[in-house]
Amino acid sequence: MTTTTPSTPAVQLLEVSPEYAGQRIDNFLLARLKGVPKTLIYRILRKGEVRVNKGRIKPEYKLQAGDIVRVPPVRVPERDEPVPLALGLLQRLEASIVFEDKALIVINKPCGIAVHGGSGLTYGVIEAFRQLRPDCKELELVHRLDRDTSGLLMIAKKRSMLRHLHTALRGDGVDKRYMALVRGNWAASIKQVRASLGKSNLRSGERMVEVDEEEGKESVTVFKVLRRFGDFATLIEAKPITGRTHQIRVHTLHAGHCIAGDTKYGDEGFSKEIRDLGGKRLFLHAYMLTVPLPDGSELKLQAPVDEMWSKTVERLSAPI
């Protein structure tokens, strides 16, 4: 891949080499324009300032080998100019690692930490790990978790592992399970929610996801009850078959059982009752992950919930 000096505000012409074929243009730019706010990247995409083979493209466009990507002038920090991160945060993320080998890191991401910078944030998990692992030049997020969702998150250390896991994610090779604490008594008969999801923008500019059976993308989540707390709340397992933005949060709401602590799709009264028990977080946690590795073996991992979650559930269980 050839490019102009990235730190100079000038037009860049990037030729897509074969190993990047199939990657979405937005993810391609997010990886290369490090330090540039995500909102700016999507803005230049929407305005048509990013061109592929001299034509306008959408953010979901998938690159092909040999494509020429024109990137307008944007300020990109030098490689030796990382945003300095607090030592405490770096130590916390280092301690969150549950698996690491030569090609892959898996962490139990704490609630409240974004996976990457953007939208007013100067850093996220990936920026932190680029400082923690400076010798790993190809570190990339394999997938994403919402900022307030905790749990298992994969970071590829090699491009070959990233391609392998993206292929597995597009098929049915990866098994991700979440735990969620939801309002009310979840009916045992609700074993699956199949509801197409679409995105819409509010006047405030905030992006929301909603059920849209006409224009939305097909979305399926499988559910199982783990524990009941009378008619007040239920601890459930959610297995997303598709991987849409906010899928579990919107599907639980669609089923009539919003997630505790969800400021976007939840119920403030229910969330306040959970906060009064000490639960000041979103109660959605990616707790189990099974992925196929390139050598044919399977990696199976589980991640415990944090102390705030476990103590809140204990208080829910306590007799009144």
mmCIF file of all heavy atoms in Angstrom, residues 113-129:
data_model
loop_
_atom_site.group_PDB
_atom_site.id
_atom_site.type_symbol
_atom_site.label_atom_id
_atom_site.label_comp_id
_atom_site.label_asym_id
_atom_site.label_seq_id
_atom_site.Cartn_x
_atom_site.Cartn_y
_atom_site.Cartn_z
ATOM 1 N N ILE A 113 -15.903 1.734 29.258
ATOM 2 C CA ILE A 113 -14.744 2.030 28.417
ATOM 3 C C ILE A 113 -15.111 1.750 26.963
ATOM 4 O O ILE A 113 -15.541 0.645 26.629
ATOM 5 C CB ILE A 113 -13.518 1.193 28.829
ATOM 6 C CG1 ILE A 113 -13.116 1.514 30.273
ATOM 7 C CG2 ILE A 113 -12.352 1.450 27.887
ATOM 8 C CD1 ILE A 113 -11.943 0.713 30.784
ATOM 9 N N ALA A 114 -14.941 2.758 26.112
ATOM 10 C CA ALA A 114 -15.247 2.598 24.690
ATOM 11 C C ALA A 114 -14.211 1.699 24.033
ATOM 12 O O ALA A 114 -13.072 1.607 24.491
ATOM 13 C CB ALA A 114 -15.272 3.965 24.008
ATOM 14 N N VAL A 115 -14.597 1.041 22.934
ATOM 15 C CA VAL A 115 -13.640 0.163 22.261
ATOM 16 C C VAL A 115 -12.658 0.959 21.411
ATOM 17 O O VAL A 115 -11.548 0.518 21.150
ATOM 18 C CB VAL A 115 -14.346 -0.922 21.409
ATOM 19 C CG1 VAL A 115 -15.129 -1.866 22.289
ATOM 20 C CG2 VAL A 115 -15.215 -0.311 20.321
ATOM 21 N N HIS A 116 -13.056 2.176 20.958
ATOM 22 C CA HIS A 116 -12.120 3.031 20.239
ATOM 23 C C HIS A 116 -12.518 4.486 20.438
ATOM 24 O O HIS A 116 -13.633 4.806 20.833
ATOM 25 C CB HIS A 116 -12.053 2.690 18.747
ATOM 26 C CG HIS A 116 -13.365 2.737 18.040
ATOM 27 N ND1 HIS A 116 -14.070 3.902 17.840
ATOM 28 C CD2 HIS A 116 -14.121 1.758 17.492
ATOM 29 C CE1 HIS A 116 -15.191 3.637 17.200
ATOM 30 N NE2 HIS A 116 -15.244 2.336 16.980
ATOM 31 N N GLY A 117 -11.557 5.384 20.174
ATOM 32 C CA GLY A 117 -11.819 6.806 20.297
ATOM 33 C C GLY A 117 -12.796 7.294 19.249
ATOM 34 O O GLY A 117 -13.079 6.622 18.260
ATOM 35 N N GLY A 118 -13.301 8.507 19.447
ATOM 36 C CA GLY A 118 -14.282 9.097 18.536
ATOM 37 C C GLY A 118 -15.474 9.593 19.309
ATOM 38 O O GLY A 118 -15.647 9.264 20.487
ATOM 39 N N SER A 119 -16.302 10.404 18.667
ATOM 40 C CA SER A 119 -17.490 10.974 19.298
ATOM 41 C C SER A 119 -17.131 11.662 20.622
ATOM 42 O O SER A 119 -17.782 11.454 21.639
ATOM 43 C CB SER A 119 -18.552 9.882 19.538
ATOM 44 O OG SER A 119 -18.920 9.283 18.332
ATOM 45 N N GLY A 120 -16.074 12.474 20.586
ATOM 46 C CA GLY A 120 -15.678 13.213 21.777
ATOM 47 C C GLY A 120 -14.677 12.498 22.655
ATOM 48 O O GLY A 120 -14.153 13.082 23.604
ATOM 49 N N LEU A 121 -14.406 11.228 22.371
ATOM 50 C CA LEU A 121 -13.434 10.471 23.160
ATOM 51 C C LEU A 121 -12.095 10.445 22.435
ATOM 52 O O LEU A 121 -12.038 10.230 21.237
ATOM 53 C CB LEU A 121 -13.925 9.028 23.375
ATOM 54 C CG LEU A 121 -15.209 8.856 24.176
ATOM 55 C CD1 LEU A 121 -15.683 7.415 24.083
ATOM 56 C CD2 LEU A 121 -14.995 9.237 25.628
ATOM 57 N N THR A 122 -11.020 10.657 23.184
ATOM 58 C CA THR A 122 -9.694 10.646 22.559
ATOM 59 C C THR A 122 -9.065 9.265 22.566
ATOM 60 O O THR A 122 -8.033 9.053 21.939
ATOM 61 C CB THR A 122 -8.755 11.621 23.292
ATOM 62 O OG1 THR A 122 -8.719 11.273 24.682
ATOM 63 C CG2 THR A 122 -9.230 13.057 23.130
ATOM 64 N N TYR A 123 -9.666 8.326 23.277
ATOM 65 C CA TYR A 123 -9.054 7.006 23.365
ATOM 66 C C TYR A 123 -10.135 5.951 23.570
ATOM 67 O O TYR A 123 -11.286 6.245 23.892
ATOM 68 C CB TYR A 123 -8.071 6.936 24.547
ATOM 69 C CG TYR A 123 -8.772 7.027 25.883
ATOM 70 C CD1 TYR A 123 -9.270 5.883 26.503
ATOM 71 C CD2 TYR A 123 -8.991 8.243 26.494
ATOM 72 C CE1 TYR A 123 -9.961 5.956 27.701
ATOM 73 C CE2 TYR A 123 -9.674 8.329 27.699
ATOM 74 C CZ TYR A 123 -10.159 7.179 28.299
ATOM 75 O OH TYR A 123 -10.849 7.259 29.482
ATOM 76 N N GLY A 124 -9.722 4.711 23.387
ATOM 77 C CA GLY A 124 -10.567 3.563 23.675
ATOM 78 C C GLY A 124 -9.659 2.375 23.900
ATOM 79 O O GLY A 124 -8.434 2.509 24.028
ATOM 80 N N VAL A 125 -10.259 1.190 23.932
ATOM 81 C CA VAL A 125 -9.490 -0.034 24.171
ATOM 82 C C VAL A 125 -8.368 -0.195 23.151
ATOM 83 O O VAL A 125 -7.227 -0.500 23.504
ATOM 84 C CB VAL A 125 -10.426 -1.260 24.129
ATOM 85 C CG1 VAL A 125 -9.615 -2.559 24.094
ATOM 86 C CG2 VAL A 125 -11.354 -1.264 25.344
ATOM 87 N N ILE A 126 -8.664 0.033 21.872
ATOM 88 C CA ILE A 126 -7.649 -0.236 20.845
ATOM 89 C C ILE A 126 -6.480 0.735 20.959
ATOM 90 O O ILE A 126 -5.313 0.346 20.799
ATOM 91 C CB ILE A 126 -8.265 -0.234 19.421
ATOM 92 C CG1 ILE A 126 -7.278 -0.781 18.392
ATOM 93 C CG2 ILE A 126 -8.789 1.133 19.038
ATOM 94 C CD1 ILE A 126 -6.894 -2.233 18.616
ATOM 95 N N GLU A 127 -6.758 2.016 21.258
ATOM 96 C CA GLU A 127 -5.669 2.980 21.442
ATOM 97 C C GLU A 127 -4.809 2.601 22.638
ATOM 98 O O GLU A 127 -3.566 2.717 22.594
ATOM 99 C CB GLU A 127 -6.223 4.396 21.625
ATOM 100 C CG GLU A 127 -6.814 5.026 20.375
ATOM 101 C CD GLU A 127 -8.238 4.582 20.078
ATOM 102 O OE1 GLU A 127 -8.854 3.906 20.922
ATOM 103 O OE2 GLU A 127 -8.739 4.922 18.989
ATOM 104 N N ALA A 128 -5.448 2.116 23.709
ATOM 105 C CA ALA A 128 -4.702 1.699 24.898
ATOM 106 C C ALA A 128 -3.788 0.515 24.585
ATOM 107 O O ALA A 128 -2.613 0.497 24.990
ATOM 108 C CB ALA A 128 -5.667 1.336 26.027
ATOM 109 N N PHE A 129 -4.306 -0.467 23.854
ATOM 110 C CA PHE A 129 -3.492 -1.650 23.565
ATOM 111 C C PHE A 129 -2.382 -1.354 22.557
ATOM 112 O O PHE A 129 -1.358 -2.042 22.552
ATOM 113 C CB PHE A 129 -4.371 -2.824 23.110
ATOM 114 C CG PHE A 129 -4.836 -3.655 24.271
ATOM 115 C CD1 PHE A 129 -6.064 -3.422 24.857
ATOM 116 C CD2 PHE A 129 -4.014 -4.634 24.812
ATOM 117 C CE1 PHE A 129 -6.480 -4.153 25.961
ATOM 118 C CE2 PHE A 129 -4.420 -5.376 25.917
ATOM 119 C CZ PHE A 129 -5.653 -5.138 26.489
#
